[in-house]
Amino acid sequence: MSENIIITFPDGNTKSVVKGISGFDLASQISKSLAKESVAIKIDGKISDLSLAINQDCKVVIIKRENDEALDIIRHDCAHVMAEAVQSLFPGTQVTIGPSIENGFYYDFARKEPFTLSDLPKIEKKMHEIVNKDEKFAREVWSREKAIKFFKEKGEEYKVELIQDLNPDEELTIYKQGEWLDLCRGPHMISTKQIGKGFKLMKVAGAYWRGDSKNAMLTRIYGTAWRNEKELEKHLQQIEEAEKRDHRKLGKEMNLFHFQEEAPGAVFWHPKGWQLFQSLINYMRLRQDRAGYVETSTPELLDKSLWETSGHWEKFGDHMFITDAKEEKVFAIKPMNCPGAVEVYKQGLKSYRDLPLRMSEFGKVHRYEPSGALHGLMRVRAFTQDDAHIFCTEDQITEESKIVCDLILSIYKDFGFDDVRIKFSDRPEKRVGEDVVWDKAEEALRQAMEATKLQYTLNPGEGAFYGPKLEFVLRDAIGRDWQCGTLQVDLNLPERLGATYVAEDGKKKIPVMLHRALFGSLERFTGILIEHYAGHLPLWLSPSQIVVATITSDSDNYAFDVKDQLLKNGLRSEIDIRNEKIGYKIREHSNSKIPIILAVGKKEAEDKTVSVRRIGSSETKVMKLKELINNLQKESASPIN
RNA sequence: GCCGCGUUAGCUCAUUUGGUAGAGCAGUUGAUUUGUAAUCAUCAGGUGGUCAGUUCGAUUCCGACACGCGGCACCA
């Protein structure tokens, strides 16, 4: 007589079943289609294999292929299948770890000869074979000794190291598929067949063992995996879409900027790119003026001793550019604006009445970034920060932080970024200052966050070396996250650099310094905007707003007249009177993302009208030039006017 | 910085056992005066990233370096 247990389903229904039933059999009892669709089971909140026996009363959620959690399992299964494929094709390759990640999975292998792109088709083919073999995933619990002995004999040194570092209380499980097995927590599906065909190997890369650059470099293979081929196809299309938006490609097509090897990581801004860059600065300057900031500018070169005092030298000296001046002094090109800001602050005695003092600077900084980190405008060695340092009392931290948060969110909105996340990074391991000071700084920032009532996530140990920080992450039009703004509470540098103010009681005190940047790097923000808008910048940011294109040379004079009037009314315009067909001109200017093309021919010249064509639309609208100017002046105004 | 891959005309790309390179677009010149995403012809354009090496001979094979691309690590 077998014992029964009670299963409770998410809808509250219960079912009495035989003890030891597998999740799969349970699903089968409900319906065949459910069994077919299910990939795993959650027992009392813990996700497990469908094959696992259920031995006690419990709450159960059957995870179906369509559920989000299923994707992780499919991807993880895929990683196992890839590892099997690799080891069968390339004997002697060691396996290390292979998790599921966003959009897919990877597996890190140790092999003398790293894999190359040309190995992927072979591996992928083998994977399909393994999937089709319908190998069952089997879970086994092994002792530490057995596992270590097994992997040692196989020459899997990395696995042995992983096992030795496992929490001793944790059950050690092995997952087998056919002949192949791997140390793994699971869960996995019933069989490899369930993976289906919706996967593809994407790229190979080097990756350090355990993510530490002191360790050996492994060879990583990335794959993407989905529920089916249709989803895979959709994902591949999204990648294509992202490639089309690549700011490096668009920057070339739109003639905004270039890089060259004589200045790695430094931007050559072309006239149009610089126009855009200046639009951003003008906008930010106006916003800051209105928010009570004063603007400064400080030297690019500062004596090394100042960086030693600030603490930058010790932590970032290797990443600073140093001058070879023809004198004994060593100068460093500034990697940050803060010491300069403090020196400006220190001129003249400051009273508590002067605080908060909000000092901004569009400071160009240079950082010797590792060569492998450089990436278009997104990661450069020379960039411009919309930096500011707010000197205030401890009591003012909360209020000032709140003002910065409000300002930043309002500014992002003007650029079409409504979805902004905030990360709170607290003290890192390597830092300056006493812990009591850090306690104070972190607490003040926490209070500020409470005052703003904004949601944030904790980012432990990621603060700056001198203080905790908030990081503002915005989400672009195709769902990618970009970290831009930052707010840092600094109770250390003002003291190190000797900043003081006279308090109400006549005694000298040390001010708090809030570092903040809103765009962060102007260069990077420009790149983000290009990708966010896919090059179709809104009119107020577009470097070239209008092109006047003639139909025939009869209209040249009128076209010049139109352009002059547009320019006089503050609209950035160009003229195209080349001896080409209008279709040719339209194609060319559309490709370079000019927002508005005005075609002018005989009719327009006679009527003092223009034929207006907007980018992204093939419609044309004939209107009086005056009317157009009127409309565009409103439309092209920056959002703050 | 580390691993892998790449670098051919202004741009986008061809050129397989090593025998000094082709196309389209852009440019020139000429014709055409054209109505909403490529008019026709003409000419010109390259020390194949740089430097070394193997070879009778290197864009092609080997090496170093530079820069770029994809990751990893880093990101005040």
Side-chain angles (χ1 to χ4, degrees):
Chain A
M1 185 75 188
S2 53
E3 213 179 314
N4 271 20
I5 52 170
I6 304 293
I7 301 292
T8 309
F9 293 102
D11 59 6
N13 285 337
T14 59
K15 188 176 169 75
S16 173
V17 295
V18 120
K19 182 178 169 182
I21 190 174
S22 75
F24 183 78
D25 289 339
L26 177 67
S28 304
Q29 282 186 15
I30 296 166
S31 81
K32 264 192 180 157
S33 62
L34 177 63
K36 208 177 149 197
E37 277 173 51
S38 49
V39 298
I41 188 163
K42 229 188 229 174
I43 301 170
D44 286 334
K46 187 172 175 284
I47 196 156
S48 313
D49 301 309
L50 281 172
S51 54
L52 201 72
I54 306 171
N55 291 319
Q56 70 286 329
D57 294 355
C58 57
K59 284 183 185 162
V60 149
V61 182
I62 292 173
I63 297 176
K64 294 191 282 185
R65 201 173 178 83
E66 69 197 35
N67 299 138
D68 287 343
E69 287 151 306
L71 268 179
D72 265 347
I73 298 170
I74 293 169
R75 287 165 183 164
H76 189 192
D77 283 9
C78 239
H80 274 231
V81 168
M82 178 168 77
E84 182 188 344
V86 163
Q87 288 201 311
S88 85
L89 290 168
F90 305 94
T93 304
Q94 289 188 62
V95 289
T96 66
I97 56 160
S100 75
I101 52 171
E102 194 181 4
N103 298 332
F105 60 94
Y106 67 78
Y107 212 116
D108 285 347
F109 301 98
R111 181 170 181 248
K112 282 201 184 69
E113 285 283 299
F115 295 109
T116 68
L117 231 40
S118 56
D119 295 322
L120 298 190
K122 278 179 284 194
I123 299 170
E124 204 173 292
K125 190 169 163 246
K126 191 81 190 173
M127 286 173 71
H128 282 290
E129 285 170 22
I130 295 167
V131 167
N132 286 332
K133 267 200 261 175
D134 199 8
E135 287 175 347
K136 303 285 178 267
F137 285 104
R139 181 179 185 271
E140 292 177 9
V141 178
W142 284 18
S143 68
R144 296 282 187 283
E145 295 68 37
K146 180 179 176 186
I148 289 174
K149 183 165 176 279
F150 176 85
F151 285 111
K152 251 189 190 152
E153 277 170 12
K154 260 183 97 186
E156 298 276 10
E157 299 155 30
Y158 290 93
K159 282 288 172 193
V160 173
E161 190 180 326
L162 285 174
I163 293 166
Q164 282 165 344
D165 288 355
L166 276 182
N167 180 348
D169 300 331
E170 194 183 337
E171 200 171 44
L172 188 156
T173 52
I174 294 289
Y175 275 82
K176 259 188 188 166
Q177 69 215 39
E179 296 296 302
W180 192 83
L181 61 80
D182 195 6
L183 169 76
C184 180
R185 284 196 182 92
H188 285 281
M189 293 189 283
I190 297 276
S191 112
T192 57
K193 187 95 180 187
Q194 282 175 286
I195 291 171
K197 293 182 179 173
F199 66 88
K200 184 176 165 56
L201 300 186
M202 304 297 283
K203 51 198 171 195
V204 292
Y208 296 109
W209 167 236
R210 299 196 146 174
D212 189 334
S213 59
K214 289 189 209 72
N215 290 341
M217 173 78 46
L218 306 171
T219 173
R220 173 175 296 181
I221 302 179
Y222 282 97
T224 185
W226 300 85
R227 295 179 183 88
N228 51 49
E229 286 170 284
K230 206 171 153 192
E231 282 189 9
L232 170 66
E233 198 48 43
K234 197 176 149 209
H235 173 68
L236 296 177
Q237 272 169 11
Q238 275 170 0
I239 292 175
E240 247 177 76
E241 173 59 26
E243 278 168 8
K244 274 187 219 152
R245 289 169 178 256
D246 192 312
H247 73 283
R248 293 164 299 187
K249 180 173 168 281
L250 289 173
K252 200 179 272 177
E253 286 170 13
M254 295 166 73
N255 194 12
L256 301 177
F257 59 86
H258 83 271
F259 290 91
Q260 62 187 52
E261 64 179 272
E262 287 80 358
V267 190
F268 288 76
W269 285 108
H270 298 4
K272 288 189 177 183
W274 192 240
Q275 167 69 244
L276 169 57
F277 193 92
Q278 289 300 318
S279 294
L280 294 179
I281 289 189
N282 292 340
Y283 167 87
M284 185 59 83
R285 181 169 281 141
L286 199 50
R287 292 296 309 246
Q288 288 181 344
D289 285 351
R290 292 181 184 183
Y293 285 77
V294 289
E295 189 174 324
T296 60
S297 177
T298 65
E300 316 273 305
L301 282 176
L302 289 163
D303 193 293
K304 179 184 154 199
S305 62
L306 195 58
W307 302 106
E308 286 169 341
T309 310
S310 71
H312 287 96
W313 190 261
E314 197 198 338
K315 187 143 200 302
F316 292 107
D318 290 345
H319 297 282
M320 287 167 73
F321 288 101
I322 310 302
T323 59
D324 181 19
K326 303 285 178 274
E327 50 184 300
E328 281 185 24
K329 276 187 176 184
V330 174
F331 293 92
I333 306 177
K334 66 176 175 182
M336 285 195 82
N337 303 301
C338 30
V342 173
E343 296 310 314
V344 174
Y345 173 89
K346 277 160 67 182
Q347 291 304 110
L349 209 52
K350 293 291 182 294
S351 151
Y352 71 96
R353 293 172 194 276
D354 296 318
L355 307 184
L357 178 58
R358 309 184 185 105
M359 284 189 351
S360 72
E361 172 170 11
F362 292 98
K364 187 163 187 180
V365 296
H366 289 71
R367 299 177 179 178
Y368 186 73
E369 302 285 4
S371 58
L374 302 180
H375 180 95
L377 295 175
M378 302 305 186
R379 190 79 184 268
V380 287
R381 285 183 176 156
F383 61 99
T384 313
Q385 289 179 313
D386 58 333
D387 210 351
H389 298 90
I390 301 170
F391 296 88
C392 63
T393 67
E394 284 182 16
D395 293 343
Q396 291 168 333
I397 297 176
T398 299
E399 177 62 13
E400 285 302 307
S401 299
K402 187 175 176 300
I403 294 173
V404 169
C405 287
D406 291 343
L407 182 65
I408 210 164
L409 295 180
S410 149
I411 283 172
Y412 287 169
K413 211 162 253 166
D414 281 347
F415 291 88
F417 299 113
D418 294 319
D419 190 350
V420 181
R421 280 134 225 267
I422 302 173
K423 291 195 290 187
F424 187 127
S425 301
D426 59 15
R427 68 192 78 184
E429 265 180 46
K430 208 171 166 187
R431 58 179 182 263
V432 297
E434 304 287 317
D435 280 356
V436 282
V437 175
W438 276 88
D439 290 343
K440 220 190 271 180
E442 285 170 1
E443 185 49 34
L445 203 49
R446 240 189 303 277
Q447 278 175 16
M449 286 317 289
E450 263 165 45
T452 60
K453 299 200 167 56
L454 293 166
Q455 293 292 312
Y456 65 92
T457 55
L458 208 58
N459 206 13
E462 296 294 320
F465 73 85
Y466 47 72
K469 63 181 177 183
L470 298 179
E471 279 158 349
F472 296 82
V473 180
L474 50 85
R475 184 156 287 184
D476 76 5
I478 56 171
R480 295 171 303 177
D481 287 342
W482 304 96
Q483 189 171 306
C484 294
T486 174
L487 167 67
Q488 303 163 4
V489 178
D490 183 356
L491 302 181
N492 287 304
L493 287 193
E495 180 175 18
R496 284 180 157 247
L497 295 168
T500 59
Y501 68 96
V502 179
E504 279 175 282
D505 59 7
K507 291 195 177 122
K508 278 196 176 176
K509 286 194 173 168
I510 298 162
V512 177
M513 181 158 74
L514 303 181
H515 306 239
R516 48 110 286 196
L518 308 189
F519 291 143
S521 149
L522 266 299
E523 282 77 359
R524 181 176 147 87
F525 196 77
T526 306
I528 293 168
L529 282 179
I530 293 167
E531 301 209 354
H532 175 61
Y533 288 114
H536 296 220
L537 295 164
L539 201 57
W540 72 282
L541 288 171
S542 198
S544 195
Q545 296 170 317
I546 305 165
V547 166
V548 185
T550 49
I551 308 287
T552 73
S553 55
D554 292 342
S555 321
D556 285 0
N557 287 337
Y558 177 61
F560 275 111
D561 190 36
V562 168
K563 190 194 82 166
D564 286 346
Q565 291 202 48
L566 291 168
L567 285 175
K568 259 183 220 159
N569 286 281
L571 294 160
R572 297 186 286 274
S573 313
E574 295 172 60
I575 195 166
D576 184 355
I577 56 165
R578 289 175 302 172
N579 180 8
E580 296 288 354
K581 289 189 170 178
I582 190 69
Y584 178 90
K585 296 182 184 181
I586 288 191
R587 179 183 156 81
E588 193 166 279
H589 300 304
S590 297
N591 281 339
S592 60
K593 312 283 191 283
I594 304 291
I596 295 166
I597 299 170
L598 303 181
V600 297
K602 254 187 202 148
K603 277 183 279 176
E604 286 80 5
E606 277 168 21
D607 306 341
K608 300 292 171 203
T609 57
V610 286
S611 169
V612 185
R613 187 189 164 109
R614 297 266 179 164
I615 190 151
S617 159
S618 54
E619 272 175 52
T620 60
K621 201 171 167 189
V622 177
M623 60 169 83
K624 291 279 183 197
L625 178 58
K626 274 193 181 155
E627 189 191 348
L628 177 81
I629 288 175
N630 225 334
N631 295 345
L632 290 188
Q633 275 188 316
K634 280 181 208 139
E635 191 186 330
S636 68
S638 120
I640 33 176
N641 289 330

